[in-house]
Amino acid sequence: MLKIRLQGTKKDINWFKKVIMQNDEIEILQFSEPYANKGTTNYFRVYGEVEKNDK
C-alpha cells in the first residue's frame, strides 16, 4: 500500500483522481476530502491510500 498526498487546485486534484481510477493496475482504497493550504485559497491537499491491483 502507498500513502500519497496530492497538492494543487481542486480541478487538478479531481483530474488526477480520474486518471488513476481509469488505471486497472491501481486500486484506490481511500481519498480524503480537500484541505485548504495555509496562506492561499487556490491550493488544496488531499491524502489517499492506493495499492497494486493483483486482479
Side-chain angles (χ1 to χ4, degrees):
M1 175 189 37
L2 294 173
K3 293 189 177 199
I4 58 173
R5 180 176 71 180
L6 302 175
Q7 288 189 200
T9 64
K10 285 185 179 181
K11 182 179 176 181
D12 290 338
I13 291 170
N14 286 331
W15 165 79
F16 190 74
K17 282 170 55 174
K18 287 179 187 177
V19 168
I20 60 175
M21 287 173 64
Q22 293 174 352
N23 188 330
D24 293 336
E25 294 182 30
I26 299 172
E27 181 179 354
I28 299 172
L29 302 175
Q30 178 181 347
F31 263 105
S32 71
E33 294 298 316
Y35 294 97
N37 281 349
K38 291 183 180 179
T40 181
T41 58
N42 296 328
Y43 295 101
F44 295 82
R45 64 190 185 281
V46 174
Y47 300 93
E49 294 180 359
V50 298
E51 70 180 6
K52 182 178 177 183
N53 191 354
D54 291 330
K55 296 177 185 175

